[in-house]
Amino acid sequence: MQLFNKILPQGGGLANALLRRAPCVCLDWDVRQKSRFDATTSEGNVVGVFIARGCVLRGGDVLVSTQGDLLRVVAADQPVLRITPCAEHGRPFDLVRAAYHLGNRHVPIELTPTHLHIEPDHVLADMLREMHLTVAQAQSAFEPESGAYGDHSAHQHADKGHTQNHNHSHGHGHDDGHLHDNGHAHG
């Protein structure tokens, strides 16, 4: 059995031609969270995946075998609950409230500007309906947020131009005489 043990987040700059030729493996969220598992590729081959503990595979990632072969990861459609503001009297802010309450329960949540996705849970669905949100069953790839303390070493920001260095200047002038994070007084 071929062993895949390295992750190239989102293909790591590989040429599109290489990615198109690579077989894929379609995995649901539960499997993509595991560090060791067997899977069947689009070519029908059974492979082993053995990655560092704590790493999470995302749709679009590429696995590399010990022999240098590539395997594209596809996020499988799976049952999810789609949460949206009530069409009659809801507001977009209702999604923020829902995300807050779900986050307090440590529920994996996929955030979008128009809806949330969570894994099916009838207790949470009832809670969300009581908050006057619309909850519908759907089939979709599930890509929840990694969280504020998630594995940032494996995945970069979606905006390729954004840097990881968040110590940028404020770019404003004033003479308040207060200190900024860098310890220098302005004024």
Side-chain angles (χ1 to χ4, degrees):
M1 176 181 342
Q2 192 170 23
L3 177 67
F4 287 80
N5 63 352
K6 182 178 178 185
I7 304 169
L8 294 176
Q10 301 303 295
L14 292 173
N16 285 334
L18 284 175
L19 294 175
R20 280 193 302 271
R21 283 195 300 258
C24 64
V25 63
C26 198
L27 307 169
D28 67 17
W29 175 242
D30 289 336
V31 174
R32 288 184 286 123
Q33 297 178 78
K34 296 179 180 179
S35 58
R36 286 144 180 78
F37 59 89
D38 293 342
T40 303
T41 71
S42 57
E43 296 176 340
N45 299 319
V46 176
V47 298
V49 176
F50 192 89
I51 55 177
R53 291 199 187 280
C55 286
V56 173
L57 294 172
R58 298 289 181 167
D61 286 351
V62 174
L63 293 166
V64 182
S65 76
T66 53
Q67 294 85 20
D69 293 324
L70 303 176
L71 183 62
R72 291 182 295 120
V73 175
V74 175
D77 282 351
Q78 65 182 76
V80 294
L81 295 180
R82 178 166 293 163
I83 302 139
T84 55
C86 174
E88 291 181 34
H89 53 75
R91 306 171 316 210
F93 181 76
D94 294 340
L95 289 179
V96 174
R97 257 181 70 235
Y100 171 81
H101 287 286
L102 292 167
N104 273 343
R105 289 163 178 79
H106 303 281
V107 173
I109 310 168
E110 180 178 357
L111 305 170
T112 78
T114 59
H115 63 272
L116 306 175
H117 278 163
I118 63 172
E119 293 179 292
D121 181 309
H122 71 278
V123 173
L124 293 175
D126 289 344
M127 175 195 77
L128 293 163
R129 286 182 184 108
E130 286 179 20
M131 295 170 61
H132 304 289
L133 290 152
T134 301
V135 180
Q137 294 182 3
Q139 285 286 124
S140 179
F142 185 53
E143 293 282 4
E145 290 291 310
S146 61
Y149 303 105
D151 181 15
H152 296 289
S153 63
H155 293 91
Q156 303 299 318
H157 289 282
D159 176 7
K160 303 295 185 209
H162 189 91
T163 68
Q164 292 287 347
N165 178 4
H166 291 251
N167 296 324
H168 40 67
S169 87
H170 294 291
H172 58 272
H174 48 78
D175 50 359
D176 292 339
H178 67 272
L179 297 177
H180 280 267
D181 291 338
N182 61 9
H184 299 288
H186 290 275

